[in-house]
Amino acid sequence: MKKIIYVLSILIVLILLTSCSISTGKSYKADGFALGTIITQEVYGRDARQVSVEAMDKLKFLEDLMTINDLDSDSSKLSMNAGKGYVELNPETISVLKSARKISDLSDGAAFDITVAPVVKAWGIGTDNPQIPSEETLKKLVPLINYQDVQIDEASNKASLAKPGQMIDLGGIAKGYAGDVLREIYQKNGIKSGLINLGGNVIAVGSKPDGSPWSIGIQNPRSETGGIVGIIQVSDKAVVTSGDYQRYFEKDGKRYCHIIDPHTGYPADSGLMSVTIITSSSTDADGLAKAFVLGLDKGMDLVKKYNQSYSPADAIFITTDKKIFVTPGLHDNFKLEDESHEYTCIKKG
Ligand code: AMP
Ligand code: MG
């Protein structure tokens, strides 16, 4: 009898050990579409599939809140009530508005500003019919841009837009926020290792299952096939890029990108092709990537300011003359891997 119990307990221990190793080594890859972009998830750990489904559901929920294409969204609610006082919004929208304010404040509204919406609309950015608005139209709309007119009453989850005609566009920060929320879902479910890609916004959750950092490719802004110019190694970081190759249109040989200079109302044209921000907060990284508007030097200054005011951030700026500028934290990390042989890497102080 004793022998049987002994054998049985060894068997039970063995079964427990094997099931444990199967579940921790388990991975799941999921693709989907939300927030206007392709979503991919690589999740390692127990319940990986279930966690990816929960994440996808959450993305759909956030899309419904933040989209400008639906009259019932929080974005539309706020815009439709511009100049009419406060409206109650979901606490998650309030949280995004607060983060937007924080990032806009860093540049006094010269780079990231969610009230660019009326101008974004006039250019038809994100639609099938982008167009160049008349000077007259822009003259009327640019004065409506002012992030300080977004007033937030956190205690009651309310917000308002000061002037009639003002609108908000969360397209430049919603994906970033979604990245942070997804990471929280992973962590809440005990996932220690995962990679989330929200249309170019990458969130590295922990490290790879073997403990080594994730390798993230930095896109070649002029590659038609999604080629890269380099690779960085990161753990527990968001890697977020804004570039002139996403949603641009061309007219008479000129490229018009989807990022608007809040001061002029014109698509940014500051000698950059892309800006990649690497920091812990995916929300902040998305907002900061609009340093794109400012060009190389002022853009780099903005990243430095974020470093000093909040938390460590690194950046990769790629200029139109194909130079790649990387901040000190990436000097030994960024590896030039440029199949086109057109780019050079410059280590910025
Ligand atoms: P992203 O895809 O993160 O590069 O953000 C670009 C999107 O943000 C655009 O499609 C617009 O919806 C919006 N946007 C454009 N210009 C700005 C700006 N200066 N500040 C904030 N959002 C912007
Ligand atoms: Mg972005």
Side-chain angles (χ1 to χ4, degrees):
M1 188 64 187
K2 255 189 183 170
K3 205 172 176 187
I4 293 173
I5 292 174
Y6 179 67
V7 171
L8 269 179
S9 32
I10 285 187
L11 267 176
I12 288 168
V13 168
L14 273 178
I15 288 168
L16 280 176
L17 276 177
T18 35
S19 65
C20 209
S21 68
I22 289 167
S23 52
T24 48
K26 228 174 162 183
S27 79
Y28 189 77
K29 286 191 182 174
D31 297 330
F33 194 85
L35 294 162
T37 194
I38 295 167
I39 313 289
T40 63
Q41 300 183 68
E42 200 177 322
V43 197
Y44 292 84
R46 220 182 330 170
D47 305 327
R49 199 189 81 84
Q50 214 172 302
V51 173
S52 76
V53 172
E54 185 181 338
M56 209 54 219
D57 288 347
K58 185 70 190 198
L59 285 180
K60 297 263 161 64
F61 171 80
L62 293 175
E63 178 178 350
D64 288 347
L65 280 184
M66 317 274 172
T67 181
I68 48 166
N69 302 321
D70 178 355
L71 290 179
D72 292 331
S73 73
D74 270 5
S75 292
S76 300
K77 243 197 220 166
L78 186 53
S79 298
M80 285 186 310
N81 286 287
K84 296 184 196 160
Y86 281 84
V87 283
E88 193 169 346
L89 304 172
N90 187 289
E92 302 220 43
T93 313
I94 296 289
S95 170
V96 173
L97 293 179
K98 266 179 57 197
S99 299
R101 171 78 193 218
K102 164 180 151 184
I103 300 299
S104 294
D105 268 336
L106 274 181
S107 70
D108 292 322
F112 180 77
D113 187 330
I114 57 171
T115 62
V116 292
V119 172
V120 168
K121 204 173 161 201
W123 283 91
I125 288 168
T127 71
D128 294 336
N129 301 306
Q131 56 183 323
I132 303 172
S134 69
E135 295 265 345
E136 215 186 328
T137 304
L138 288 179
K139 234 189 206 156
K140 266 200 314 219
L141 297 179
V142 171
L144 292 174
I145 303 176
N146 184 355
Y147 73 97
Q148 290 179 335
D149 285 340
V150 183
Q151 284 136 3
I152 306 167
D153 178 359
E154 233 188 308
S156 63
N157 287 318
K158 287 182 176 168
S160 74
L161 272 169
K163 298 185 200 114
Q166 287 187 312
M167 293 193 273
I168 60 152
D169 178 349
L170 299 177
I173 195 165
K175 272 194 285 167
Y177 176 74
D180 283 329
V181 171
L182 260 50
R183 176 176 38 212
E184 273 168 32
I185 290 178
Y186 280 31
Q187 286 166 345
K188 180 192 80 187
N189 284 287
I191 303 288
K192 294 195 171 66
S193 183
L195 199 65
I196 304 163
N197 192 335
L198 310 171
N201 282 26
V202 176
I203 295 93
V205 180
S207 307
K208 286 203 277 192
D210 67 4
S212 62
W214 296 100
S215 297
I216 313 290
I218 305 303
Q219 192 160 331
N220 174 346
R222 289 296 174 268
S223 164
E224 303 276 324
T225 52
I228 60 166
V229 291
I231 291 177
I232 55 168
Q233 311 274 330
V234 295
S235 299
D236 257 327
K237 287 269 180 326
V239 181
V240 176
T241 303
S242 279
D244 70 354
Y245 55 92
Q246 303 155 333
R247 291 189 191 177
Y248 67 95
F249 74 98
E250 276 173 328
K251 189 97 200 262
D252 301 327
K254 188 171 161 56
R255 179 187 288 251
Y256 295 92
C257 77
H258 74 319
I259 299 164
I260 298 289
D261 180 333
H263 286 168
T264 64
Y266 278 86
D269 187 13
S270 57
L272 294 173
M273 295 198 284
S274 72
V275 171
T276 301
I277 306 289
I278 300 101
T279 190
S280 298
S281 161
S282 159
T283 313
D284 290 359
D286 211 6
L288 268 184
K290 275 60 178 188
F292 183 88
V293 174
L294 302 175
L296 178 65
D297 292 329
K298 285 188 183 157
M300 282 284 188
D301 287 346
L302 186 68
V303 179
K304 263 190 203 152
K305 203 168 167 193
Y306 179 85
N307 253 302
Q308 287 155 1
S309 314
Y310 297 105
S311 48
D314 274 296
I316 301 166
F317 283 58
I318 306 184
T319 55
T320 45
D321 57 357
K322 301 198 167 169
K323 294 195 174 84
I324 304 169
F325 293 84
V326 300
T327 52
L330 294 172
H331 286 184
D332 297 327
N333 187 328
F334 179 83
K335 200 163 132 236
L336 190 69
E337 283 216 3
D338 164 32
E339 280 176 7
S340 71
H341 303 292
E342 291 175 346
Y343 290 83
T344 46
C345 178
I346 297 166
K347 294 174 177 176
K348 273 287 255 192

